[in-house]
Amino acid sequence: MTNTLLRDEDIAYQLRETAQQLRVDAIRCSSAASSGYPTSSMSAADLIAVLLARHLRYDFGHPDAPGNDHLIFSKGHASPLYYAMLKTAGAITDAELLSYRRAGSRLEGHPTPRLPWVDVATGSLGQGLPIGVGLAKTGRDLDQLPYRVWVLCGDSELAEGSIWEAAEQAGYERLDNLTVLVDVNRLGQRGPTRHGWDTGAYARRFAAFGWHTKEIDGHNVMEVDAALKAATHHAVQPTVILARTRKGRGVKAVEDRGGAHRMPLTDPDEAIRELGGERDIRINVTPPPLDLRPRRFQASPSKLPAFETGSMAATRTAFGQALAVVGDLRPEVVVLDGEAADATRTEFFADAHPERFFECYVAEQQMIAVAIGMQVRGWIPYASTYAAFLSRAYDFIRMAAISRASVRLVGTHVGVAAGQDGPSQMALEDLAGLRAVHGSTVLYPCDANQATRLTATLADVSGISYLRASRGDTPVIYGPDEEFPVGGSRVPRCSPDDQVTLVAAGVTVHEALAAADLLADDGVSARVIDAYSVKPIDAATLRQAASETGRIVTVEDHWPEGGLGDAVLEALADGAAALPVVQKLAVRDMPGSATPAEQLQLAGIDMVSIAAAAVDLVAGRGTG
Amino acid sequence: MTNTLLRDEDIAYQLRETAQQLRVDAIRCSSAASSGYPTSSMSAADLIAVLLARHLRYDFGHPDAPGNDHLIFSKGHASPLYYAMLKTAGAITDAELLSYRRAGSRLEGHPTPRLPWVDVATGSLGQGLPIGVGLAKTGRDLDQLPYRVWVLCGDSELAEGSIWEAAEQAGYERLDNLTVLVDVNRLGQRGPTRHGWDTGAYARRFAAFGWHTKEIDGHNVMEVDAALKAATHHAVQPTVILARTRKGRGVKAVEDRGGAHRMPLTDPDEAIRELGGERDIRINVTPPPLDLRPRRFQASPSKLPAFETGSMAATRTAFGQALAVVGDLRPEVVVLDGEAADATRTEFFADAHPERFFECYVAEQQMIAVAIGMQVRGWIPYASTYAAFLSRAYDFIRMAAISRASVRLVGTHVGVAAGQDGPSQMALEDLAGLRAVHGSTVLYPCDANQATRLTATLADVSGISYLRASRGDTPVIYGPDEEFPVGGSRVPRCSPDDQVTLVAAGVTVHEALAAADLLADDGVSARVIDAYSVKPIDAATLRQAASETGRIVTVEDHWPEGGLGDAVLEALADGAAALPVVQKLAVRDMPGSATPAEQLQLAGIDMVSIAAAAVDLVAGRGTG
């Protein structure tokens, strides 16, 4: 099928036929897999048929073409429809379609970027639209290219707050290159949605957030076509098309029936007959103009800040100052912040590179979503807020790893050392959460020069990375030209006759060094390891210390679970040798308000507590 | 001050004076602390003065009185205002007020339930309103008491999606016992909010979500009074009062100035003079009627389900069936689900106890918020969805621990064993996340009878607890009358000459048992520990196994970080003895789609992989 001049009724016929093919193929692949959600695909088939044949501009042979539109299935469980669409567009073969959900197939249960046409993984509801908003913003404000962003949402997922963070940003920023199609099939996984087919309820909400809205019959292809056309031509506002549809459309046994969500059809052959059988329609999707090139900024020579050894500075400040310089050196770097730039110190970057700084307000999920959208188009995002509040976006971060996204997270005000604000503002679980993200890198500098170097290093780290930055000033102990590779460590105190090793990171490095002084006064020789790279951790240095000193004290400003101590133990648990005696010091009681120094002492992670634990180990007295 | 008959101008004078006292005391306590956010307190002082003097019904001498209204400072950083209010109500002394943010003081940087008048900790924005919605629902539908819920929000936090999840529920469910006061002071932490003083922008959004809205001058006490009165009398809709205010109101040096958010005033004495000096106003807040008793359900005799040893059943199904029975036995039990009750199996409870089942739709943050609200009033909530999607509410869970809340989380479809749906639906970081919650309990049953018992046990577990339930059927290996205490373990395979210990939980218990059979064929005697209580873990049994067998293989359907393996290592790292040789088996590569059996094999956590690792350990070959 090609888009030659046709009468409306011919166009409508071909679109309906295409939609039926998408339905049939959705049924075929999920039946072959004995798994999947065909009925949620069938409701949206007309929407996707019209989009593919008449509005999408995409070169399936060149998925990285800068001018390509972006299409995100926010309702990732409609993957049978997505893959049927790829087949109709000639991107995959029928044989590959039928590999759906098999071991080794690229056609996973929910789409992931293992397929080159998929920008981001979906399957956790309410994430595709937020990321789509990020891509629309990238297109208009960074790439400055005319591509459009199309998002297919389910109605169930409109209950997610993340949808409304995204709606707020898109409406406020007037992202008119964004069109959202909502498949209002009124049935969620378990039963009816709150609003059923009351598309007006959704329209009022989106309109209040500044959107252009259209309510249509989602099975009338010409109505769909008109709505998509109107969306393309509507300026100054994003458009949401609220399409009333029927789940399982076209097959009596399942159409608009509850309880048919999570399963293939029981009689696929009959269903396919009912839909008019298999078809062999191929759509030549209109490609974008070839000569489009994204806007890029210019690098300018600059030099990372240098802090004088012996002076005092906060690692968050070093991070902020360094980031501004990284912005000079690396023109692809963009920075997002959650209305805390004065505290996270990204304000240095905002001042230096206002066009590449994005205020995301107090909407952490949306901040991460925009970062994910920007990296899809090759930008290098850093996203920062109080580390405690990154937990708000944990599902987005988890999914970003499945998206194979590269996003740099920076969390400040970590641990009890944050002081008087109290536990709500203290990240005490962030190391656990971020270590447990697939392929992540977790860094925790203890001084300003180390923070500076690690900030620069992050630009070249792929995957999800995290820099843990402290609120308070700490002594500068490393020179400005020292290197701190990912996976490395520093051993600021070491002698051949060390009796115990103190493993610390961030603020506890300074406590450990002071503890080593106390211990020396008591005649105990202690090694100190600065494990600034918490993941990957420097296993070789830890093993050597374990074998040479036989005793290890780990000390961290974090709950005992999942943080530095666990990282050290994991490195030593290599299955090859017995582990040394290990004592973990960490925050065990719920903190309140107090000064940073009081907090460290109350938590038992200050120099005195460390020294006492080391003395006990050396004396053979466990405290466990 | 008492509420005798007064002319309007006298009332207005007294209310203004009360507000000035609140401002002065907010300044005094934050200046004494050299820390805190007085300007965000000063903007809302008139709102709180009017509420306290004229509308709140609360017995400060009996904070647990069932008829008490509930007042939540969603903008927890206005804690100086909250504490000044407590002083004005006679709940705390001036001396205690001045202990603000000191070590040991109950007056933390952000309010927590260390104070008996605080229902829940706030300080992470966008959480107080969602929990307030939960309390309003509890009041109307569970307690059936006429208490009102008042929430003070900041304007910045309206950017959080969680606010709109809450707005959707409150509007749709017509919670007219809920009033939200928004302190629209137009300035966030770093700078202006998106909408500034455009209260109409917020009003349109709330109205679209079904709310009654009022836009007022938040410094005109009679306007505030009229709005609060209207809210109290408005039926069928929750009310939001959008009050235009000025940050730092009343003190020229800071009023409506940017950059004055995160600090006490530089000249507090001058500011206090400008506000008319200290006052000594005491409000006798109107208590609620004394005879109010909450509705409670009746217990009925019932018996936990029993599964036949050797049969097959999914732990999620056992959980669901058991939960319905727990509902019979424990009339305070309530259940919430995120539109997945068919999959999580809470549908059994929904069918048996429809009045105590709450469909929360696809809004996980709001689900947890409602659970937190319900437990404030003594109900025993279980909240369940796919374990992967509990990550969406991680910040709420973290804060719930600071709230000293008791909430039971149940996550299903865990690990790669979830199978074909792919990684977006597989919780692989949930053990790490939930272990790293302060005071949490983490349970992971391997068979239906164990799941049944643990489901019942959870009702009496305080704090945040988590049950990890599997999608697929597993063999029933324990009898229906066996006990599984929190902190315990089972050792289904043990002999005095064991050469290696396999520590497993959930689905990997069955793989470990099969591996032990394989190893026996090879002449290797392996102990198997079922660590169903991942936190607290049975350290004594693990230490005994370590000392008796000298080698440990841990195997878990989870990323390597923060899960079972780390829990085992932590238990052994007691500082008293060297650890044995340990090899951790866990999911290390990003899974795709495959059958559950294929997934376990591909991840290297199936019986063959376990046996191979054990053989290597016994032969002294590490794989680390």
Side-chain angles (χ1 to χ4, degrees):
Chain A
M1 182 169 127
T2 52
N3 291 324
T4 51
L5 284 176
L6 286 174
R7 288 177 309 169
D8 273 3
E9 52 264 43
D10 295 334
I11 293 173
Y13 174 78
Q14 291 195 3
L15 291 172
R16 281 195 300 266
E17 281 294 294
T18 304
Q20 292 298 75
Q21 168 164 305
L22 295 175
R23 289 189 174 94
V24 166
D25 283 346
I27 292 171
R28 289 174 64 230
C29 70
S30 51
S31 290
S34 302
S35 173
Y37 308 78
T39 60
S40 302
S41 295
M42 293 157 75
S43 54
D46 300 296
L47 302 173
I48 294 304
V50 177
L51 176 64
L52 189 72
R54 308 254 305 163
H55 300 276
L56 189 71
R57 292 177 303 180
Y58 198 91
D59 181 350
F60 281 88
H62 299 92
D64 289 332
N68 276 346
D69 282 358
H70 293 269
L71 169 58
I72 299 177
F73 269 47
S74 195
K75 53 177 290 185
H77 56 286
S79 55
L81 175 61
Y82 184 76
Y83 302 140
M85 181 198 79
L86 290 183
K87 183 195 133 182
T88 301
I92 63 169
T93 64
D94 193 64
E96 182 164 18
L97 176 70
L98 297 178
S99 75
Y100 179 50
R101 286 178 172 244
R102 295 265 167 84
S105 171
R106 301 186 294 177
L107 275 52
E108 298 188 26
H110 296 73
T112 75
R114 284 176 68 190
L115 286 169
W117 311 281
V118 177
D119 288 325
V120 290
T122 51
S124 180
L125 291 173
Q127 299 204 12
L129 172 53
I131 296 168
V133 170
L135 268 163
K137 190 164 175 60
T138 305
R140 189 189 66 183
D141 296 342
L142 283 173
D143 286 342
Q144 299 187 342
L145 286 177
Y147 57 73
R148 294 194 66 77
V149 178
W150 309 91
V151 180
L152 177 68
C153 282
D155 46 354
S156 285
E157 68 179 315
L158 302 186
E160 285 285 10
S162 56
I163 291 287
W164 301 101
E165 291 183 15
E168 174 70 46
Q169 181 176 13
Y172 185 81
E173 301 197 7
R174 299 167 177 265
L175 294 172
D176 56 15
N177 55 346
L178 171 68
T179 304
V180 177
L181 299 98
V182 185
D183 176 23
V184 185
N185 64 24
R186 91 170 182 88
L187 291 172
Q189 170 172 321
R190 178 191 176 226
T193 59
R194 273 199 183 99
H195 298 293
W197 277 317
D198 179 10
T199 50
Y202 300 121
R204 285 192 297 279
R205 287 157 174 73
F206 276 102
F209 279 85
W211 287 55
H212 172 226
T213 68
K214 284 265 176 201
E215 299 170 59
I216 63 165
D217 172 356
H219 298 312
N220 181 326
V221 290
M222 297 315 282
E223 241 185 86
V224 174
D225 187 55
L228 289 173
K229 192 167 176 184
T232 314
H233 290 87
H234 187 85
V236 185
Q237 285 181 306
T239 295
V240 59
I241 296 170
L242 296 153
R244 285 179 303 278
T245 61
R246 294 167 74 85
K247 206 159 173 172
R249 166 74 171 188
V251 174
K252 212 165 288 169
V254 293
E255 185 169 322
D256 192 37
R257 301 242 170 138
H261 177 78
R262 290 186 310 116
M263 54 195 71
L265 272 53
T266 45
D267 190 345
D269 294 336
E270 171 54 29
I272 291 167
R273 265 193 300 277
E274 205 177 328
L275 292 164
E278 295 181 30
R279 292 159 180 82
D280 192 20
I281 300 168
R282 164 75 192 275
I283 305 266
N284 291 313
V285 174
T286 308
L290 274 176
D291 56 344
L292 296 173
R293 290 290 166 271
R295 189 254 303 250
R296 289 294 184 244
F297 295 87
Q298 293 301 312
S300 60
S302 193
K303 207 172 152 353
L304 287 173
F307 296 85
E308 199 177 333
T309 311
S311 68
M312 299 287 288
T315 53
R316 61 172 167 148
T317 304
F319 150 72
Q321 294 181 358
L323 189 60
V325 173
V326 172
D328 295 332
L329 301 168
R330 303 293 296 266
E332 315 88 355
V333 165
V334 292
V335 175
L336 306 93
D337 200 284
E339 229 283 274
D342 55 330
T344 62
R345 306 300 198 219
T346 57
E347 215 147 57
F348 291 108
F349 186 96
D351 290 343
H353 309 284
E355 283 181 299
R356 288 186 276 145
F357 176 80
F358 300 93
E359 175 59 77
C360 298
Y361 298 95
V362 190
E364 295 81 5
Q365 296 184 91
Q366 186 57 24
M367 175 173 76
I368 301 302
V370 174
I372 294 168
M374 289 176 170
Q375 63 85 42
V376 165
R377 288 285 313 127
W379 299 90
I380 300 179
Y382 288 67
S384 123
T385 185
Y386 287 63
F389 306 141
L390 288 174
S391 64
R392 199 59 154 268
Y394 193 46
D395 192 22
F396 278 72
I397 296 166
R398 173 185 82 88
M399 288 294 298
I402 303 176
S403 291
R404 284 70 171 168
S406 291
V407 175
R408 293 136 208 92
L409 307 169
V410 181
T412 64
H413 296 67
V414 299
V416 298
Q420 290 89 343
D421 267 348
S424 63
Q425 319 294 300
M426 295 169 175
L428 285 163
E429 56 292 299
D430 55 326
L431 293 176
L434 275 305
R435 280 182 66 235
V437 169
H438 182 68
S440 65
T441 300
V442 177
L443 307 174
Y444 183 15
C446 73
D447 93 342
N449 285 324
Q450 196 178 50
T452 294
R453 290 284 161 166
L454 293 176
T455 299
T457 297
L458 276 187
D460 293 310
V461 171
S462 61
I464 306 302
S465 54
Y466 174 54
L467 183 84
R468 190 180 209 234
S470 298
R471 171 179 175 245
D473 288 347
T474 46
V476 177
I477 61 172
Y478 300 116
D481 297 320
E482 299 190 40
E483 300 286 342
F484 302 97
V486 169
S489 69
R490 299 306 294 262
V491 189
R493 193 155 174 146
C494 181
S495 87
D497 55 350
D498 287 332
Q499 300 155 275
V500 60
T501 301
L502 313 177
V503 185
V507 68
T508 61
V509 169
H510 307 286
E511 300 297 324
L513 287 168
D517 287 340
L518 293 177
L519 288 164
D521 293 345
D522 284 354
V524 174
S525 177
R527 183 170 303 182
V528 176
I529 296 179
D530 168 10
Y532 64 83
S533 180
V534 177
K535 181 186 174 189
I537 200 160
D538 184 353
T541 298
L542 290 169
R543 283 183 200 147
Q544 188 185 342
S547 105
E548 289 178 7
T549 72
R551 303 174 191 93
I552 289 184
V553 175
T554 68
V555 54
E556 62 195 304
D557 192 357
H558 187 275
W559 300 129
E561 297 88 6
L564 175 65
D566 282 5
V568 169
L569 285 167
E570 196 199 355
L572 297 175
D574 59 355
L579 280 73
V581 182
V582 178
Q583 177 75 52
K584 280 171 62 171
L585 302 182
V587 181
R588 292 177 190 273
D589 296 324
M590 181 61 77
S593 287
T595 65
E598 288 169 337
Q599 297 278 17
L600 295 178
Q601 190 191 341
L602 288 164
I605 55 171
D606 65 327
M607 60 178 175
V608 174
S609 306
I610 298 168
V615 165
D616 280 344
L617 280 205
V618 171
R621 295 187 304 265
T623 57
Chain B
M1 182 167 127
T2 52
N3 293 323
T4 52
L5 285 175
L6 287 174
R7 289 177 307 170
D8 274 3
E9 52 263 44
D10 295 335
I11 294 172
Y13 174 78
Q14 292 196 2
L15 291 172
R16 282 195 299 266
E17 281 294 294
T18 304
Q20 293 296 75
Q21 168 164 305
L22 295 174
R23 289 188 174 93
V24 167
D25 282 346
I27 292 170
R28 289 174 63 231
C29 71
S30 50
S31 290
S34 302
S35 173
Y37 309 79
T39 60
S40 302
S41 295
M42 294 158 77
S43 53
D46 299 296
L47 301 174
I48 294 303
V50 177
L51 176 65
L52 189 73
R54 307 256 304 163
H55 299 277
L56 188 72
R57 292 176 305 178
Y58 198 94
D59 182 349
F60 281 88
H62 298 92
D64 289 333
N68 275 347
D69 282 357
H70 292 269
L71 169 58
I72 300 177
F73 270 47
S74 196
K75 52 176 290 184
H77 57 285
S79 55
L81 175 61
Y82 185 77
Y83 302 139
M85 180 197 79
L86 290 183
K87 183 196 135 182
T88 301
I92 63 169
T93 64
D94 194 65
E96 183 165 17
L97 176 70
L98 297 178
S99 74
Y100 179 51
R101 287 178 171 243
R102 296 266 166 82
S105 171
R106 302 186 294 177
L107 276 53
E108 299 187 27
H110 296 73
T112 75
R114 284 176 68 190
L115 287 169
W117 311 282
V118 177
D119 288 326
V120 290
T122 51
S124 179
L125 291 173
Q127 299 204 11
L129 172 53
I131 295 168
V133 170
L135 268 163
K137 187 161 177 61
T138 305
R140 189 189 64 181
D141 296 343
L142 284 172
D143 287 343
Q144 299 188 342
L145 287 176
Y147 57 73
R148 295 195 67 78
V149 178
W150 310 91
V151 179
L152 176 68
C153 282
D155 47 354
S156 285
E157 67 179 316
L158 301 187
E160 286 284 11
S162 55
I163 291 288
W164 301 101
E165 292 184 14
E168 173 71 47
Q169 180 175 15
Y172 185 81
E173 302 197 6
R174 300 168 175 266
L175 294 172
D176 56 14
N177 55 346
L178 171 67
T179 304
V180 176
L181 299 98
V182 185
D183 177 23
V184 185
N185 64 26
R186 95 171 178 87
L187 290 173
Q189 170 172 320
R190 179 190 177 227
T193 59
R194 273 199 183 99
H195 298 292
W197 277 316
D198 178 8
T199 51
Y202 300 120
R204 284 192 299 279
R205 286 158 174 73
F206 276 102
F209 279 84
W211 288 55
H212 173 225
T213 68
K214 285 263 175 201
E215 298 170 58
I216 64 167
D217 172 355
H219 298 312
N220 180 328
V221 290
M222 296 316 280
E223 239 184 90
V224 174
D225 186 55
L228 288 173
K229 193 167 174 183
T232 313
H233 289 86
H234 187 85
V236 187
Q237 284 181 306
T239 296
V240 59
I241 297 169
L242 297 153
R244 284 179 303 278
T245 61
R246 295 166 75 84
K247 207 160 174 172
R249 166 75 172 187
V251 174
K252 212 165 291 172
V254 291
E255 185 170 320
D256 192 37
R257 303 243 171 137
H261 176 79
R262 291 185 310 114
M263 54 196 69
L265 273 54
T266 43
D267 190 345
D269 294 335
E270 170 55 28
I272 292 167
R273 265 194 300 278
E274 204 176 331
L275 292 164
E278 295 182 32
R279 292 156 179 83
D280 191 20
I281 299 169
R282 163 78 191 274
I283 304 266
N284 291 312
V285 175
T286 307
L290 274 176
D291 56 345
L292 296 174
R293 290 289 166 271
R295 192 252 303 249
R296 288 296 183 245
F297 295 88
Q298 292 301 310
S300 61
S302 193
K303 207 174 151 355
L304 288 172
F307 295 85
E308 200 178 331
T309 312
S311 69
M312 300 287 288
T315 53
R316 62 171 166 149
T317 305
F319 151 71
Q321 293 181 358
L323 190 59
V325 174
V326 172
D328 295 331
L329 301 168
R330 303 293 296 266
E332 313 88 356
V333 165
V334 292
V335 174
L336 306 94
D337 199 283
E339 230 282 275
D342 55 330
T344 63
R345 306 300 199 219
T346 57
E347 215 147 56
F348 291 107
F349 186 96
D351 291 341
H353 309 286
E355 283 182 301
R356 288 187 274 145
F357 177 80
F358 300 93
E359 175 59 75
C360 298
Y361 298 95
V362 190
E364 294 81 7
Q365 294 184 93
Q366 185 58 23
M367 175 173 77
I368 302 302
V370 173
I372 294 167
M374 288 177 171
Q375 64 84 43
V376 166
R377 288 287 311 128
W379 299 91
I380 300 179
Y382 288 67
S384 121
T385 187
Y386 287 63
F389 306 141
L390 288 174
S391 63
R392 198 61 155 269
Y394 193 47
D395 192 23
F396 278 72
I397 296 167
R398 172 184 82 86
M399 287 295 297
I402 303 175
S403 291
R404 284 70 171 168
S406 290
V407 174
R408 292 136 208 91
L409 307 169
V410 181
T412 65
H413 296 68
V414 299
V416 297
Q420 290 88 346
D421 267 348
S424 63
Q425 318 293 299
M426 296 170 174
L428 285 164
E429 57 292 298
D430 55 325
L431 293 176
L434 275 305
R435 280 181 67 234
V437 169
H438 182 67
S440 66
T441 300
V442 177
L443 307 174
Y444 182 16
C446 73
D447 92 344
N449 285 323
Q450 195 179 51
T452 295
R453 290 284 162 165
L454 294 175
T455 299
T457 297
L458 276 188
D460 294 309
V461 171
S462 60
I464 305 302
S465 54
Y466 174 54
L467 183 83
R468 188 180 211 236
S470 298
R471 170 177 175 246
D473 289 347
T474 46
V476 177
I477 61 172
Y478 300 117
D481 297 321
E482 298 189 41
E483 300 286 343
F484 301 97
V486 169
S489 68
R490 299 307 294 261
V491 189
R493 192 155 176 146
C494 180
S495 87
D497 54 350
D498 287 332
Q499 299 155 275
V500 60
T501 301
L502 314 177
V503 185
V507 67
T508 60
V509 169
H510 307 287
E511 299 297 324
L513 287 168
D517 287 340
L518 292 177
L519 288 164
D521 293 346
D522 284 353
V524 174
S525 178
R527 181 169 304 182
V528 176
I529 295 179
D530 168 10
Y532 65 83
S533 181
V534 177
K535 180 185 174 190
I537 201 160
D538 184 353
T541 298
L542 290 168
R543 284 184 199 146
Q544 190 186 341
S547 103
E548 290 179 7
T549 73
R551 303 174 190 92
I552 290 184
V553 176
T554 67
V555 54
E556 62 194 303
D557 192 358
H558 186 275
W559 301 130
E561 298 87 5
L564 176 65
D566 282 5
V568 169
L569 285 167
E570 196 200 356
L572 298 175
D574 60 355
L579 280 72
V581 183
V582 179
Q583 176 76 51
K584 281 172 63 173
L585 301 182
V587 181
R588 292 178 190 272
D589 296 323
M590 181 62 76
S593 287
T595 65
E598 287 169 339
Q599 298 278 17
L600 295 178
Q601 193 192 339
L602 288 164
I605 57 172
D606 65 327
M607 58 178 177
V608 173
S609 306
I610 299 167
V615 165
D616 279 346
L617 280 205
V618 171
R621 298 189 299 266
T623 57

